[in-house]
Amino acid sequence: MKKFVVLFMIFVLSVSLIACGKETKDKSLNENVYKNEKLGFEFKIPSIWEKNYQVKEIENEENIKGEVSFLLSPKDSKDENREVLLSFSVMDKNVYAESEKEEGPSIGEYLGEKGDLVYLVGLPQSNPFDPKTEEGKLFHTMHMSFEDVKGVS
């Protein structure tokens, strides 16, 4: 039960941080590669995403060293249509190890380690839009699997 409460709090914190993080439009991008030197990673933007996304960066929040979310942001869309396509989280190796000891779902899919840091990716479980709408179709084409992310990151 304790782990569920902790994971729920982390989830709520992540969602609220995404809501208040700073947004960038193609900041830190060079030739379709997002690079975050502070967190020590880069991600090749899939060509199918074109200009239908925004980047939201959050740094140094409690147990998470930083988080970078890629949000669906269709051209000429309203702000309320943004949904997370994927997000990368970077945390201290010891914090990650403690969180993995507890029961319940993982914070994210493990990508790897560098020094004292662990890199995770969070992916949506389903399309948040009606698949028949323009946003639903776009989200479906932009959605990535864990294997896709590992192949381009």
Side-chain angles (χ1 to χ4, degrees):
M1 181 65 164
K2 178 183 172 190
K3 179 166 181 162
F4 175 76
V5 171
V6 170
L7 287 175
F8 180 74
M9 295 298 286
I10 289 172
F11 173 77
V12 169
L13 177 64
S14 294
V15 169
S16 63
L17 291 175
I18 288 171
C20 64
K22 67 179 182 178
E23 294 177 23
T24 61
K25 191 79 166 178
D26 294 340
K27 179 183 173 224
S28 306
L29 287 177
N30 186 14
E31 297 183 28
N32 292 334
V33 175
Y34 169 84
K35 187 172 185 177
N36 189 310
E37 292 182 16
K38 288 182 183 177
L39 297 177
F41 79 95
E42 60 183 52
F43 173 68
K44 185 175 185 324
I45 305 297
S47 59
I48 196 157
W49 285 17
E50 295 181 17
K51 296 184 185 215
N52 291 308
Y53 71 94
Q54 286 188 335
V55 178
K56 190 173 272 192
E57 302 170 333
I58 302 165
E59 296 177 17
N60 298 323
E61 295 292 334
E62 299 220 8
N63 294 330
I64 299 174
K65 182 162 178 68
E67 184 171 276
V68 178
S69 295
F70 292 83
L71 309 171
L72 175 70
S73 183
K75 300 172 198 169
D76 304 321
S77 72
K78 298 179 181 176
D79 287 347
E80 64 267 10
N81 289 338
R82 293 187 193 147
E83 292 288 338
V84 176
L85 293 161
L86 64 88
S87 55
F88 294 100
S89 299
V90 181
M91 62 178 32
D92 181 78
K93 190 184 297 187
N94 295 328
V95 172
Y96 175 74
E98 287 300 314
S99 71
E100 286 299 296
K101 289 179 185 176
E102 298 188 19
E103 293 180 28
S106 179
I107 296 169
E109 296 288 332
Y110 177 87
L111 286 171
E113 299 177 11
K114 188 188 303 181
D116 292 340
L117 301 176
V118 172
Y119 294 82
L120 307 166
V121 64
L123 299 164
Q125 298 298 311
S126 63
N127 189 336
F129 301 103
D130 180 340
K132 296 175 185 171
T133 65
E134 289 302 315
E135 289 90 358
K137 292 174 186 174
L138 182 60
F139 188 91
H140 179 74
T141 62
M142 294 173 69
H143 181 263
M144 297 180 74
S145 69
F146 180 64
E147 290 75 26
D148 294 335
V149 174
K150 284 177 32 179
V152 296
S153 58

